[in-house]
Amino acid sequence: MNLKNCTVSVFGLGLLGGSLAWKLSRDRAVKSVAGWSRNPETVRRARETGVIGRACATAEECASLGDVLILAVPIRSMEETARRIRPAAGPAVRAVFDLASTKTEVGRKLAPLWGPCYAGFHPMAGKERGGLENADPALFQGAVCAVVPFENTGEEALGLAEELAEALGGRPLRTGAEEHDAAAACISHFPVLVAASLALLAGEETELHPLVPLLAAGGFRDTTRVAGGLPELGADMASTNGEQIRRLAGKYRAILDALLAASPEELEALLARAARCREAVLAGKGTLSRKRG
Amino acid sequence: MNLKNCTVSVFGLGLLGGSLAWKLSRDRAVKSVAGWSRNPETVRRARETGVIGRACATAEECASLGDVLILAVPIRSMEETARRIRPAAGPAVRAVFDLASTKTEVGRKLAPLWGPCYAGFHPMAGKERGGLENADPALFQGAVCAVVPFENTGEEALGLAEELAEALGGRPLRTGAEEHDAAAACISHFPVLVAASLALLAGEETELHPLVPLLAAGGFRDTTRVAGGLPELGADMASTNGEQIRRLAGKYRAILDALLAASPEELEALLARAARCREAVLAGKGTLSRKRG
């Protein structure tokens, strides 16, 4: 079954679920888009604005309609939502994806419920502000979408996940759950803690030095941007990917200490290396883009 | 003497010196703009593109022309340049400013040379890439410009510094050197080390997890932006503001450790507080803006 012949049911209509539903609806990329949210007002608004084609009053109703089920609820509600909709989902279900930003723990809970239909799906895109009011059908344009198979995941589900990535304007990339979580901890989850620590430090320092907020400029704004986001999201990431985050924290402390102890000449060399590392990491996207034509 | 009747001599035509000279020249905000750079080719290009009105072959020539002298050379060359031009500067000199991003150490060296004419001047603006080729007359638009008096600084020099801030489109703010350096360490210098540590960590991790660069997205790009800049600038900031940076590093480590040790509920609360601190620090600019009308 191709994605374009599927009804896609979206559970959770926040920034990610709302943007995904909106993009599929707007482009008529699938047969129809059904949506459910814990908040009935959100469902009503999503229907009125064309984000979804069919408003569902219950998660069970939403599950009964879909060929492809997409779980876009907070990480802490993933398992509960998945268990709740399992009995209502018909035998027609071809694929079940979660959009969680960590994969190992979520997959451990969801994979046994859904067998070959289940795969992890993580579009590498976000915004400082969440919620349907910030949803944007262009959110995933050019974004890498991690497609994460588990032990029993079937090829049909993986194929649909890759079609979904392309329908969103993104670029599918298959990867294992642990590999995903290690890399995501490095470029997304741990940086949230680093940025939050800087923001808390600036808050403390403002008490001592009232000049701090008066001098704050673009550098501080950018360095702390990911700490301006949704605290519950950060807490979910950290609590389900804690092992990787603690591993990275150890290495990070050693690196920061080396910078602090360096002579000016050594520091200049280390900062030059840091700039090259940053370029290389950010250029990695270009490589993928070229590889995939 | 008002700024508009002054010849302004700019020493160093990189991002800051070039942008400042260009803005004054373009707006005809001063009588004339003379410029010198260690690199004669830079002086030639600055003259050709209208960044400066008068190209100087030597720093001495540039000093002999100016009523207001602006030192926009790297921190490590500040003292040498200041000593070199001192004998050439005429009795007409009304003010001497340095654009260094740290003030205490630079002022300790420059203030005795220039007496009442000297004040520190630090526009809170920058870019990832330096050099005249990235200069932009709009760089300082809306930027706070710290105006830093030293023991012997006279009112005429301070008045000219405030006029200069306004001529650049920025907002002057008088502050002591130590207060400046404490606040700048918090919102600018220490964040460079934090961002560089993250970039180096991502570089190390890429060796273990080739997925890292493929998942890197806007969050990593923004959090590490200030580590993409000029390594010599970072090294200069760190080497002349090391005491403040080390003080902050101690507090920062304790905050990061608390985040790493927090339960998910505690972490959510800490991340919410971090987001509020960030908002408050960034809103500080708005306050200044309103205060000054």
Side-chain angles (χ1 to χ4, degrees):
Chain A
M1 198 172 189
N2 290 329
L3 186 69
K4 68 174 188 295
N5 303 319
C6 291
T7 292
V8 173
S9 290
V10 183
F11 303 83
L13 297 165
L15 177 65
L16 290 185
S19 297
L20 178 147
W22 198 356
K23 171 75 174 166
L24 298 180
S25 296
R26 200 197 55 178
D27 292 357
R28 301 179 193 280
V30 299
K31 196 169 109 193
S32 67
V33 179
W36 168 82
S37 157
R38 188 182 299 257
N39 181 348
E41 174 59 19
T42 302
V43 180
R44 196 185 59 72
R45 267 189 299 130
R47 178 67 191 86
E48 274 180 15
T49 52
V51 166
I52 56 175
R54 166 90 181 245
C56 298
T58 64
E60 289 80 357
E61 179 191 351
C62 197
S64 71
L65 297 170
D67 304 301
V68 174
L69 311 183
I70 296 180
L71 291 159
V73 297
I75 290 187
R76 63 188 70 179
S77 311
M78 277 294 171
E79 187 180 6
E80 180 211 321
T81 307
R83 289 193 183 281
R84 180 171 162 198
I85 65 177
R86 183 70 192 87
V93 169
R94 300 301 177 140
V96 180
F97 307 132
D98 74 277
L99 303 190
S101 57
T102 69
K103 292 302 177 202
T104 311
E105 271 202 38
V106 171
R108 199 177 291 141
K109 289 167 180 165
L110 268 59
L113 288 174
W114 299 98
C117 295
Y118 172 70
F121 189 89
H122 183 207
M124 301 304 296
K127 273 189 186 179
E128 204 169 312
R129 311 257 168 223
L132 181 63
E133 61 274 26
N134 292 298
D136 174 359
L139 183 66
F140 308 109
Q141 199 59 45
V144 169
C145 297
V147 171
V148 181
F150 287 84
E151 203 183 343
N152 296 317
T153 305
E155 275 304 318
E156 185 178 26
L158 290 173
L160 286 165
E162 290 174 349
E163 280 190 73
L164 176 63
E166 277 156 14
L168 295 176
R171 295 173 289 152
L173 178 70
R174 278 197 204 192
T175 174
E178 288 182 18
E179 180 66 11
H180 169 277
D181 286 358
C186 180
I187 57 91
S188 171
H189 308 161
F190 184 61
V192 169
L193 300 188
V194 164
S197 299
L198 264 188
L200 288 165
L201 177 65
E204 278 188 21
E205 283 292 296
T206 299
E207 310 281 311
L208 295 172
H209 299 286
L211 192 64
V212 165
L214 300 180
L215 292 195
F220 179 79
R221 180 184 298 276
D222 283 355
T223 316
T224 58
R225 183 177 68 80
V226 296
L230 307 162
E232 61 280 14
L233 193 64
D236 278 347
M237 294 188 311
S239 67
T240 58
N241 205 7
E243 197 177 312
Q244 289 293 344
I245 287 171
R246 280 185 295 274
R247 180 181 67 81
L248 290 169
K251 297 178 82 166
Y252 173 82
R253 278 196 204 94
I255 294 168
L256 181 59
D257 286 350
L259 295 188
L260 289 164
S263 70
E265 293 70 28
E266 290 166 345
L267 185 58
E268 184 169 334
L270 286 165
L271 293 179
R273 196 202 295 171
R276 287 195 304 272
C277 285
R278 177 175 185 264
E279 281 303 309
V281 168
L282 290 173
K285 292 181 72 181
T287 310
L288 178 69
S289 166
R290 281 194 299 276
K291 267 190 206 152
R292 299 195 60 89
Chain B
M1 199 170 188
N2 290 329
L3 187 67
K4 67 175 187 296
N5 302 318
C6 291
T7 292
V8 173
S9 291
V10 182
F11 303 83
L13 296 166
L15 177 66
L16 291 185
S19 297
L20 177 147
W22 197 358
K23 171 76 174 164
L24 297 180
S25 295
R26 199 196 57 178
D27 293 358
R28 300 180 193 279
V30 298
K31 195 168 111 194
S32 66
V33 179
W36 169 82
S37 157
R38 186 181 301 258
N39 181 348
E41 174 59 20
T42 302
V43 180
R44 196 186 59 73
R45 267 189 300 129
R47 179 66 192 86
E48 274 182 14
T49 53
V51 165
I52 55 175
R54 166 89 180 246
C56 298
T58 65
E60 289 81 357
E61 178 192 350
C62 197
S64 71
L65 296 170
D67 304 300
V68 174
L69 312 183
I70 297 180
L71 290 158
V73 297
I75 291 188
R76 63 188 69 179
S77 312
M78 277 295 170
E79 188 180 5
E80 180 211 322
T81 307
R83 289 194 182 279
R84 181 172 162 195
I85 66 176
R86 183 71 192 85
V93 169
R94 301 300 179 141
V96 180
F97 307 133
D98 74 276
L99 302 190
S101 58
T102 69
K103 292 304 178 200
T104 312
E105 270 202 37
V106 172
R108 199 176 293 142
K109 290 168 180 163
L110 268 59
L113 288 175
W114 299 98
C117 295
Y118 172 69
F121 188 88
H122 183 207
M124 302 304 295
K127 272 190 187 178
E128 205 167 312
R129 310 255 169 225
L132 181 63
E133 61 274 25
N134 291 297
D136 174 0
L139 183 67
F140 308 109
Q141 198 59 44
V144 169
C145 297
V147 172
V148 182
F150 287 83
E151 204 182 341
N152 296 317
T153 306
E155 275 305 317
E156 186 179 26
L158 290 173
L160 285 165
E162 290 174 351
E163 279 189 73
L164 176 63
E166 278 155 13
L168 295 177
R171 296 173 290 151
L173 179 70
R174 276 196 207 192
T175 174
E178 287 182 19
E179 180 67 11
H180 170 277
D181 286 357
C186 180
I187 56 91
S188 171
H189 308 161
F190 184 61
V192 169
L193 300 188
V194 163
S197 299
L198 264 187
L200 289 165
L201 177 65
E204 277 188 21
E205 283 293 295
T206 300
E207 310 282 309
L208 294 171
H209 299 288
L211 193 63
V212 165
L214 300 178
L215 292 194
F220 179 79
R221 179 183 299 276
D222 284 355
T223 316
T224 58
R225 183 177 67 79
V226 295
L230 306 163
E232 62 280 14
L233 193 64
D236 278 347
M237 295 188 310
S239 66
T240 56
N241 205 8
E243 198 178 312
Q244 289 293 344
I245 288 172
R246 281 186 295 274
R247 180 182 67 80
L248 291 168
K251 296 178 83 166
Y252 173 82
R253 278 197 203 94
I255 294 169
L256 181 60
D257 286 350
L259 296 188
L260 289 164
S263 70
E265 293 71 27
E266 289 165 344
L267 185 59
E268 184 169 335
L270 286 165
L271 293 179
R273 197 202 294 171
R276 287 195 305 273
C277 285
R278 178 176 184 267
E279 281 304 309
V281 168
L282 291 173
K285 290 183 72 180
T287 310
L288 177 70
S289 165
R290 281 194 299 276
K291 265 190 207 153
R292 301 195 58 89

